[in-house]
Amino acid sequence: MGAVRLSSLLREEHIFLDLPAADREGVLAQVSGYLEKSGVIRNAQEVVELLLERERLGATVVGEQAAIPHCKVPGLKSVAAAFARTAKAIRFGNGESAGVRLFFFVLSPRDQPAAHLQVLASIARLLRNRRALDAFLSAETPLQLRQALVAVEGG
Amino acid sequence: MGSTLAARLARDRHDVVIVESDRERLQGLADDLDVQVVAGNGTAVEVLRQAGIEECDVLFACTSSDEANMVVALMGSALFKVPRVVARLRDRSHEASFAAIAQRLGGEHVCINPDQAAVEKILSLLPVPGAVDVVTFLDGRLIIAGFPIPAGSDFEGLLLSHLRLLFPSPPVLAVAIRRGEESFVPHGEDEFRAGDLAYFAIDPHELGNVLKLLGVRRGSEERVMIAGASRIGLELAQRLEARHEDVTLFEDDLAVAEAAAAQLKRTVVVRGQATDREVLEEEGVERASAFVACTDDSSLNVMACLLARRLGAARAFALVDNPALTRMVGELGIDAVVSPRLLTVGLAVQFVRRGRVRAAAALMEDLIELVEVEVESASRLVGPTLKELGLPRGTLVAALLRGKNLIVPAGGDRILVGDRALLIATTARAAELDAFVGGQ
């Protein structure tokens, strides 16, 4: 379903399991820092600001345990995705959700609004799948998680 | 149109009296509707008096004759001081005469022109590819457009609540869904399914993105083909050529075709039947961005549209004023059905409710109602949060225009005095929602 698969965007080295983040800013900063180190983005601090700006329009929490922090990043060439699972559940929304552990980051170029939305839509749909959620919560390695993702999206 | 209007007004709990001279028809009306009927000709003073015109608040003159409608409406106004009068007039020169006379009389007067309403509807559909219906609200800040959800599109399997994630600001939301035989005002936990007909409220800036997610492609050029140089066909061609669009008009009757050609400047007028495959092919129907069939024959319009679609026209709109046919057409693959009769009824109902109502429209053959109101201080909408308001199921406050800000309210938001609110309800619940809008 849909035109875009997350598995085609999410590289194994951008899957971060059991991150020691304690709050919203912590998760956003740690993942942005890794993406800066691997050269996906130039300025982690700027991306954290953009992500927070988007959260202020309305939390990106989807369902019980997941969130899709996302923003458009000036200068980015193509849509980039990252996944993080925190060791502990984090309060991410404005109180509605008790704890989020699964974070799907979507960073898009400014001039591809439709592609950006297609990725968000495909993740939102994916998160309705109980089997996918369980796999994301229980995967022991990035490779395992990616394989589970491919299996879910392929099926 | 009178019986449809009467049924609609009776459902909204108005006291309705129908004056009808055809006795057989009259009996049918009395049996089917919760209305009073009076036999006789509406142009006769005695008949009107017998129908209780002296106590009436709104008079509708909606026979099929412009002349009779003018006489009845002006009599109501001049002799009986009816405060609000509506005349259904199709001829533009009649409208002018009516307005000139009505100006000298007291009370409010409105002409409703079914052909005009149809032309406006078609013109609103043309710029939104893929849409089966388009209505604009809140000073053009919000488009309500209906689209079929294609299998495999990005919407299939998405929850309505996900729209807030995708479109936090400016907003896009789903306000009504038809699924098979069922039409409903959905809520956040409902999902989009392939084959649904979904009505979205869209900020015009996001229209391109919504079309992309639906998988609708925008054509590069606008080439409109019109079948039938009827009043509607001719007016549509004139409006389109004024916008420098590429228009072809088909008309079978030689004299009518010649008269049309004389009145039109850039439009190509072709003599021939719109159901003639060769004629359509010769004019390049496969490259048409839209094919609009508006002859006076509803069945012919449907057939012409089916043919045009099969030959490759990107979209086809049929003028159909026959309710039974209207219901079938959706399943046949015609993109949109335009019913002058239903559009006229919609305008008339809007007039009855006017005052606090700024605009209104009905979707899906009248099953879903949209009303734009200006919120007054006495309204029960003011004060509590939306969640506390406890609006009936099947109703929705879709959007608020507060000053220049377009707001899609969530459960914790409040409606303020002076807000313009777009309210949506299944027609069965509309009266309950009305009670909230007013102070009752």
Side-chain angles (χ1 to χ4, degrees):
Chain A
M1 273 187 291
V4 181
R5 288 182 177 202
L6 177 62
S7 51
S8 66
L9 293 169
L10 184 60
R11 288 162 27 198
E12 203 181 316
E13 61 267 35
H14 294 152
I15 296 173
F16 311 107
L17 295 185
D18 305 319
L19 228 54
D23 56 15
R24 181 172 78 172
E25 282 72 7
V27 189
L28 300 184
Q30 286 179 28
V31 172
S32 300
Y34 289 134
L35 292 176
E36 185 190 88
K37 239 178 251 165
S38 72
V40 175
I41 55 172
R42 271 189 232 122
N43 185 339
Q45 189 50 43
E46 175 199 42
V47 169
V48 171
E49 288 303 323
L50 290 168
L51 289 169
L52 284 171
E53 204 175 290
R54 169 60 187 88
E55 293 299 325
R56 280 192 283 270
L57 289 178
T60 59
V61 175
V62 173
E64 302 276 306
Q65 306 172 80
I68 313 179
H70 61 271
C71 64
K72 289 170 192 157
V73 181
L76 207 65
K77 290 279 184 290
S78 59
V79 182
F83 171 82
R85 186 176 70 203
T86 52
K88 279 187 285 183
I90 285 174
R91 248 187 74 137
F92 203 74
N94 304 323
E96 311 107 69
S97 105
V100 174
R101 280 192 70 202
L102 309 176
F103 297 86
F104 297 83
F105 285 73
V106 179
L107 308 178
S108 301
R110 294 190 115 154
D111 57 354
Q112 294 175 25
H116 179 68
L117 293 175
Q118 286 174 320
V119 180
L120 297 183
S122 76
I123 300 172
R125 265 196 311 264
L126 191 64
L127 290 172
R128 294 188 61 200
N129 183 332
R130 190 67 240 179
R131 208 155 54 91
L133 273 180
D134 289 343
F136 294 144
L137 285 167
S138 63
E140 284 167 13
T141 64
L143 177 65
Q144 230 180 56
L145 190 138
R146 232 195 82 81
Q147 282 168 343
L149 175 64
V150 171
V152 174
E153 285 195 320
Chain B
M1 139 191 198
S3 57
T4 313
L5 176 59
R8 182 70 190 281
L9 292 171
R11 196 181 52 202
D12 288 354
R13 296 174 197 168
H14 293 284
D15 294 322
V16 182
V17 183
I18 302 181
V19 177
E20 169 66 59
S21 52
D22 183 328
R23 292 204 168 259
E24 226 170 275
R25 215 158 160 193
L26 198 69
Q27 195 50 51
L29 291 172
D31 292 346
D32 295 347
L33 302 177
D34 186 15
V35 298
Q36 253 180 281
V37 291
V38 171
N41 188 327
T43 53
V45 171
E46 259 327 296
V47 173
L48 288 179
R49 198 167 270 140
Q50 198 196 328
I53 194 166
E54 279 139 329
E55 283 86 48
C56 112
D57 299 309
V58 191
L59 170 66
F60 295 96
C62 46
T63 72
S64 52
S65 150
D66 272 17
E67 287 82 357
N69 292 341
M70 288 222 278
V71 170
V72 174
L74 293 172
M75 273 170 53
S77 210
L79 302 181
F80 299 107
K81 308 290 174 223
V82 176
R84 304 166 81 193
V85 168
V86 182
R88 171 192 181 276
L89 300 175
R90 292 183 69 191
D91 192 312
R92 281 293 183 83
S93 62
H94 290 155
E95 280 187 53
S97 314
F98 179 75
I101 303 171
Q103 209 182 8
R104 296 170 172 252
L105 303 169
E108 265 187 276
H109 302 85
V110 168
C111 301
I112 295 181
N113 186 329
D115 302 334
Q116 194 58 35
V119 169
E120 296 300 337
K121 174 58 79 183
I122 295 163
L123 287 171
S124 69
L125 278 162
L126 286 174
V128 188
V132 301
D133 195 4
V134 177
V135 198
T136 302
F137 284 99
L138 302 170
D139 292 339
R141 293 287 300 279
L142 208 60
I143 303 172
I144 306 290
F147 297 98
I149 302 296
S153 77
D154 287 293
F155 279 107
E156 188 186 2
L158 215 58
L159 294 177
L160 266 75
S161 58
H162 291 152
L163 288 176
R164 261 184 199 277
L165 174 82
L166 269 62
F167 302 99
S169 163
V172 172
L173 69 157
V175 296
I177 289 181
R178 160 170 293 173
R179 180 171 298 155
E181 293 290 300
E182 197 192 1
S183 298
F184 56 99
V185 174
H187 52 90
E189 291 311 302
D190 283 315
E191 65 169 354
F192 293 104
R193 295 190 193 158
D196 282 355
L197 173 61
Y199 279 79
F200 293 89
I202 305 169
D203 183 298
H205 295 108
E206 294 289 358
L207 181 60
N209 285 327
V210 173
L211 293 177
K212 199 74 179 273
L213 291 179
L214 285 165
V216 174
R217 259 177 284 155
R218 274 183 197 255
S220 53
E221 55 169 351
E222 291 295 312
R223 289 184 78 243
V224 181
M225 291 192 158
I226 302 169
S230 58
R231 241 189 265 263
I232 294 172
L234 195 59
E235 165 116 15
L236 184 61
Q238 282 169 332
R239 294 280 292 272
L240 289 171
E241 66 175 22
R243 300 197 317 206
H244 301 284
E245 291 192 33
D246 192 349
V247 185
T248 307
L249 176 63
F250 299 98
E251 171 57 51
D252 196 31
D253 184 298
L254 179 61
V256 177
E258 280 173 352
Q263 284 187 66
L264 293 164
K265 295 185 188 80
R266 303 174 61 248
T267 300
V268 178
V269 180
V270 177
R271 198 193 151 206
Q273 266 274 13
T275 46
D276 185 331
R277 183 183 182 130
E278 271 174 42
V279 173
L280 294 187
E281 278 178 334
E282 205 159 298
E283 296 304 322
V285 68
E286 78 281 0
R287 282 174 290 125
S289 57
F291 181 92
V292 187
C294 38
T295 72
D296 292 326
D297 180 343
S298 294
S299 327
L300 185 92
N301 292 341
V302 170
M303 288 195 296
C305 281
L306 292 176
L307 180 62
R309 280 291 262 150
R310 226 183 58 208
L311 295 177
R315 305 164 80 192
F317 307 140
L319 219 71
V320 177
D321 242 349
N322 166 344
L325 195 54
T326 305
R327 278 190 290 275
M328 278 174 52
V329 164
E331 293 151 29
L332 294 176
I334 292 178
D335 299 275
V337 168
V338 176
S339 162
R341 191 177 48 86
L342 282 184
L343 290 170
T344 313
V345 169
L347 290 171
V349 170
Q350 195 172 324
F351 180 74
V352 174
R353 311 170 88 179
R354 217 175 63 192
R356 36 169 222 261
V357 173
R358 304 273 302 237
L363 307 178
M364 304 177 181
E365 284 105 63
D366 227 13
L367 290 167
I368 307 274
E369 199 171 284
L370 286 74
V371 190
E372 178 182 331
V373 298
E374 196 152 308
V375 180
E376 295 167 345
S377 57
S379 167
R380 270 168 65 196
L381 292 174
V382 176
T385 62
L386 278 184
K387 207 182 220 167
E388 292 161 354
L389 258 180
L391 288 173
R393 220 182 153 78
T395 67
L396 170 73
V397 180
L400 302 170
L401 190 62
R402 180 171 299 160
K404 286 187 173 170
N405 292 331
L406 183 66
I407 302 163
V408 171
D413 291 326
R414 290 169 207 277
I415 298 175
L416 305 182
V417 175
D419 283 354
R420 301 244 309 267
L422 177 60
L423 311 171
I424 305 196
T426 54
T427 329
R429 298 284 190 179
E432 288 173 55
L433 189 59
D434 270 3
F436 272 90
V437 177
Q440 305 101 313

